[in-house]
Amino acid sequence: MTTAQLAERVVDVWGGAVRMRVKVAGSGPALVYLHPAAGFAWDDFLDRLAQRYTVYAPEFPGTSPADPYAIHHVHDVWQVVLMYEELVRKLELDAPVLVGQSFGGMLAAEIAAGFPGRFDKVVLLDAIGLWLDDHPVANWIAAAPDDLPRLLFADPQGPAAQAMLAPPEDPEEAIAAGAGMVWALGCTGKIVWPIPDKGLVDRLHRIDAPSLIVWGEHDALVPAVYAQEFADRIPDSRVVVVPGAGHIPQVEATAETYHAVSEFLAI
Amino acid sequence: MKVTYFQQVPYRELPSDFEDRHESVITTPYFDVTKPEKVTADFRSALDELMFAARLGFDGLAVTEHGQSSYDMAPNPNIIEAAVAYATEVEGIDTAIYPLGRSLGKSKEPLRAAEELAMIDQMSNGRLMSGFPVGLAYDANINNGVPPAQTRLRFDENLELVLKAWSEPDAFAWNGRYAQHPAVNIWPRPVQQNPLPPVWITGIGNPRTMQFTLDREFGFNYFGWFGLKVAGRRIFDRFWETVEQSAKEANPYRLGFMQTVCVAETDAKAEKLFAEHAEYFFQKGIGSIPMHRLALPGGIDIRGVEAIMRDPGDFGIYTRMKTASFADLMDAGSIVCGSPDTVAETLAAHAREYRIGNLHAMLQFGSMPHELAKDNISLFASEVMPRLKNVWNDEGYDHHWWPERLGGVPNPIASNTAGALV
């Protein structure tokens, strides 16, 4: 599936305390992609974006296999926002598109709200970051492993889900992947636990870039009702609901999701 | 060997089909399962059993902490310990007051813990022993909202604050990552000052925790529910290897071990009397805590996660506990059950083999009714305990992790100003 060649850029931020690793692929204008809570993975959706954009995908500190303890230098959302802004600045990206999925969607919204004027357009894919008592966000970190497929996919038995959930065949690779995913959930969880609402609701109005809010119709982790909550607060925004998809529409319904995003980006 | 009486406050009347109807013992809907008068009675029974044990000569009264659970309804052991601190003082019983668990990883008010414990040391006139577990994931993270990746960091910071608050002569400002106080000057301070009340850390086998207790000259407690014969051996071997590598004295008194024990006149009678309660305790207690509530992402270091995935042996029979029979529990060593001879010989052999200097005897568990618990405590105290107390007498070790008023000997290599700090 992957046609793009992934390169890695390493950028020191936070006074040199944190070394951020950025996967880079494709060519064209800059697009920053922020991965979900379980860590970075390249997929067909990114592959298609990389045909039009240079995709920069920073790994959240601690989620890089080579440097798991970077998380020990990261303490709260405010710090993360500043670190990512520093990263974008040091990469010398001029008004990039900002795309974030789930946990990465929250980061994208926080960063765009923190630094108006810095991003060309914003795409949020089933983002966390808001909380409605009547529609609580599922606790993906505390969920039983057996419950995760149901939370992540509209069709846990479908080919997209099965491909994503299958562990590596080699036992040692499976342990590394399994432990790496657990650790990634812990690293990202460090700044969102116990309730993924860190006050973003009061900051969304600051986002000035045109924003597309994409949601899987059957998202069982962050219900689709949250799409409108984001839209109501981001001034220049619109919502696209992807029929039949769960929490990861770009994986479970790649064509439809890419269509909506490419139309918004006018590519 | 020191022998303490170990108490939880279980709800003793859960329905027989509890484990089929409920996902876990820590997510149980309270009003669906409990009757108010039964809860009241369970607390009364637990306190009565503690005092019953105190009068029979146990060396300490150890109480654990478990928030939001039906298998132990004591979210703050200090409240129970305060009651027995006063009662034993009134009756002139020189027994240690031993909250085994005031979890500092979950505590968002560590100064409150320092104050409570200092009060208990005053109320007991210097008999406090202070257990500080890091904290169970479901309790610290889910019940108390601490991010799993912060539990250990909070524990480390909170412990420093507690020890300093106990001992620092002058008011000080505390600028921690998790707690900030313009002035810390708690009243009262513990009676025990040089040294401070003995500090004990409960662990499940994490080598880092073992190393930490040794570096700081704290005591190390291990609870044997996962099965002494299957998990305990690994843990104790690891502990004493760490002691050796750290060039520390292999003093058995630095190790405490909690064992579930039942004793009756004969082996057969003990099984007849206690088997159902043992099965209740393990199936409806710790066996009904799913793994994903005991371990949360971020709470265990990535290398630790890899080690557990390669070899889950430290968890012993835990994964089978929800359906474990009495025979399974006996085979694993999760319980020691039998006649006084059987129990005394088994426990003494374990103590010698694993160099256990402090035994915490859990003699009431699960659904065991009050009168049967008293029989168990009584027979253990008269027929078993005397044969255990002398296990280490001939080796001449000083007990540095015990209150001085109760015979403890200050540790020459620990600082006099900050508890067991070195």
Side-chain angles (χ1 to χ4, degrees):
Chain A
M1 77 179 193
T2 301
T3 54
Q5 292 294 312
L6 287 184
E8 184 173 83
R9 296 265 308 263
V10 179
V11 180
D12 288 336
V13 299
W14 211 245
V18 178
R19 174 157 286 197
M20 291 192 71
R21 290 157 199 277
V22 186
K23 294 288 191 287
V24 184
S27 59
L31 181 149
V32 175
Y33 170 74
L34 305 181
H35 64 73
F40 171 76
W42 190 258
D43 56 35
D44 283 345
F45 174 73
L46 294 174
D47 211 53
R48 293 179 71 168
L49 285 174
Q51 292 165 27
R52 299 297 191 107
Y53 287 93
T54 307
V55 174
Y56 295 83
E59 293 172 337
F60 188 80
T63 68
S64 305
D67 188 12
Y69 299 129
I71 187 59
H72 294 331
H73 302 285
V74 178
H75 302 290
D76 56 39
V77 173
W78 176 221
Q79 179 193 348
V80 170
V81 169
L82 294 177
M83 277 184 358
Y84 274 71
E85 184 278 335
E86 183 181 350
L87 174 73
V88 171
R89 192 157 30 89
K90 287 186 168 171
L91 287 169
E92 299 182 326
L93 307 182
D94 182 29
V97 170
L98 184 57
V99 181
Q101 145 88 78
S102 189
F103 170 82
M106 183 191 94
L107 288 190
E110 287 280 13
I111 296 161
F115 296 92
R118 294 287 295 277
F119 298 95
D120 181 47
K121 288 182 175 174
V122 173
V123 178
L124 307 180
L125 303 162
D126 297 64
I128 62 164
L130 300 180
W131 182 268
L132 301 171
D133 282 341
D134 292 338
H135 304 278
V137 177
N139 190 332
W140 67 95
I141 302 171
D146 292 350
D147 280 342
L148 271 181
R150 178 187 63 75
L151 289 175
L152 295 177
F153 296 99
D155 178 11
Q157 303 306 322
Q162 292 299 311
M164 199 164 174
L165 296 169
E169 282 182 19
D170 177 73
E172 279 301 309
E173 281 180 31
I175 286 171
M181 193 188 88
V182 167
W183 187 247
L185 291 174
C187 292
T188 49
K190 189 176 181 183
I191 66 160
V192 292
W193 184 279
I195 302 285
D197 169 6
K198 303 297 158 194
L200 177 62
V201 65
D202 294 326
R203 296 185 281 271
L204 285 175
H205 68 91
R206 289 170 50 88
I207 298 178
D208 63 348
S211 300
L212 179 69
I213 297 148
V214 181
W215 228 273
E217 179 189 13
H218 301 302
D219 188 339
L221 203 154
V222 194
V225 64
Y226 280 90
Q228 196 57 47
E229 294 293 317
F230 275 93
D232 287 348
R233 290 166 179 79
I234 301 175
D236 182 3
S237 65
R238 58 187 156 107
V239 171
V240 170
V241 173
V242 179
H247 182 62
I248 320 174
Q250 79 275 26
V251 166
E252 204 167 14
T254 307
E256 294 86 339
T257 306
Y258 181 76
H259 176 74
V261 171
S262 60
E263 191 173 76
F264 170 70
L265 297 177
I267 55 178
Chain B
M1 183 159 69
K2 294 292 187 188
V3 182
T4 76
Y5 173 72
F6 176 96
Q7 182 81 52
Q8 292 188 336
V9 188
Y11 188 72
R12 303 186 190 194
E13 297 85 7
L14 293 174
S16 59
D17 61 349
F18 170 85
E19 59 271 41
D20 300 325
R21 286 175 46 211
H22 296 284
E23 177 250 10
S24 88
V25 77
I26 53 170
T27 53
T28 317
Y30 180 81
F31 293 106
D32 288 1
V33 182
T34 57
K35 293 194 176 112
E37 67 276 13
K38 299 278 192 192
V39 177
T40 304
D42 286 342
F43 273 94
R44 177 60 190 264
S45 293
L47 280 157
D48 284 349
E49 286 151 13
L50 280 159
M51 287 307 298
F52 186 72
R55 293 179 191 117
L56 292 175
F58 282 80
D59 291 313
L61 303 176
V63 178
T64 49
E65 163 187 279
H66 294 100
Q68 303 189 29
S69 93
S70 57
Y71 78 101
D72 184 9
M73 299 185 288
N76 185 342
N78 292 357
I79 295 175
I80 289 173
E81 294 285 10
V84 297
Y86 171 71
T88 51
E89 199 64 13
V90 167
E91 295 189 24
I93 301 170
D94 276 347
T95 191
I97 302 299
Y98 195 170
L100 270 171
R102 186 65 164 89
S103 156
L104 290 181
K106 88 172 193 189
S107 179
K108 293 182 175 174
E109 287 189 293
L111 262 197
R112 178 67 79 200
E115 291 167 338
E116 291 166 2
L117 292 162
M119 278 178 66
I120 291 173
D121 203 37
Q122 290 291 347
M123 292 163 72
S124 66
N125 192 14
R127 292 185 282 126
L128 173 73
M129 298 175 65
S130 206
F132 293 122
V134 175
L136 294 168
Y138 76 80
D139 201 18
N141 310 134
I142 297 178
N143 299 347
N144 253 37
V146 171
Q150 269 186 14
T151 311
R152 183 68 195 218
L153 301 172
R154 277 185 183 267
F155 173 85
D156 291 343
E157 177 180 315
N158 290 348
L159 181 60
E160 299 316 312
L161 176 55
V162 168
L163 294 176
K164 191 170 180 182
W166 277 353
S167 58
E168 184 75 13
D170 300 319
F172 61 91
W174 182 262
N175 180 24
R177 186 176 293 284
Y178 306 109
Q180 292 186 316
H181 299 276
V184 178
N185 180 31
I186 65 168
W187 281 59
R189 307 296 177 89
V191 172
Q192 299 177 76
Q193 281 295 330
N194 288 306
L196 286 174
V199 168
W200 284 78
I201 309 294
T202 303
I204 61 167
N206 180 342
R208 196 176 139 212
T209 302
M210 290 178 177
Q211 187 67 55
F212 159 77
T213 65
L214 291 169
D215 291 345
R216 301 288 295 269
E217 286 292 337
F218 297 143
F220 178 75
N221 273 321
Y222 175 71
F223 291 179
W225 290 314
F226 292 161
L228 177 70
K229 295 177 194 169
V230 286
R233 183 182 307 272
R234 297 161 53 104
I235 308 299
F236 294 133
D237 285 353
R238 192 179 305 156
F239 180 77
W240 292 114
E241 281 166 19
T242 313
V243 170
E244 189 176 351
Q245 287 158 11
S246 306
K248 297 276 186 181
E249 183 182 61
N251 184 332
Y253 293 122
R254 63 167 82 246
L255 179 64
F257 175 59
M258 189 287 306
Q259 174 71 60
T260 306
V261 181
C262 23
V263 54
E265 285 73 16
T266 64
D267 289 353
K269 187 176 178 191
E271 177 172 350
K272 186 164 181 293
L273 286 175
F274 295 106
E276 66 171 298
H277 304 300
E279 290 177 354
Y280 177 108
F281 172 65
F282 284 97
Q283 293 172 9
K284 294 178 173 59
I286 195 166
S288 282
I289 304 176
M291 180 56 112
H292 67 277
R293 297 189 186 281
L294 276 184
L296 285 168
I300 302 173
D301 184 273
I302 184 169
R303 302 298 167 232
V305 176
E306 290 169 352
I308 290 167
M309 290 174 78
R310 278 197 192 91
D311 174 7
D314 281 2
F315 293 97
I317 71 158
Y318 161 70
T319 53
R320 293 188 286 122
M321 239 177 226
K322 202 168 182 176
T323 56
S325 66
F326 177 78
D328 295 335
L329 296 166
M330 287 291 285
D331 286 346
S334 295
I335 52 172
V336 170
C337 181
S339 69
D341 280 347
T342 300
V343 170
E345 285 160 17
T346 304
L347 292 175
H350 287 164
R352 287 197 190 89
E353 182 173 0
Y354 302 118
R355 303 190 66 75
I356 296 163
N358 308 270
L359 177 72
H360 312 303
M362 185 184 204
L363 294 156
Q364 192 285 328
F365 44 82
S367 53
M368 191 192 300
H370 182 57
E371 290 306 319
L372 183 58
K374 283 172 69 177
D375 291 347
N376 196 26
I377 295 165
S378 177
L379 195 56
F380 180 90
S382 62
E383 301 294 327
V384 178
M385 192 158 67
R387 295 160 68 176
L388 300 177
K389 284 200 174 185
N390 61 10
V391 163
W392 296 108
N393 285 1
D394 54 352
E395 300 210 8
Y397 288 102
D398 288 330
H399 201 323
H400 302 307
W401 301 270
W402 202 261
E404 199 171 4
R405 180 184 153 190
L406 303 176
V409 178
N411 191 341
I413 66 166
S415 158
N416 282 336
T417 56
L421 293 174
V422 289

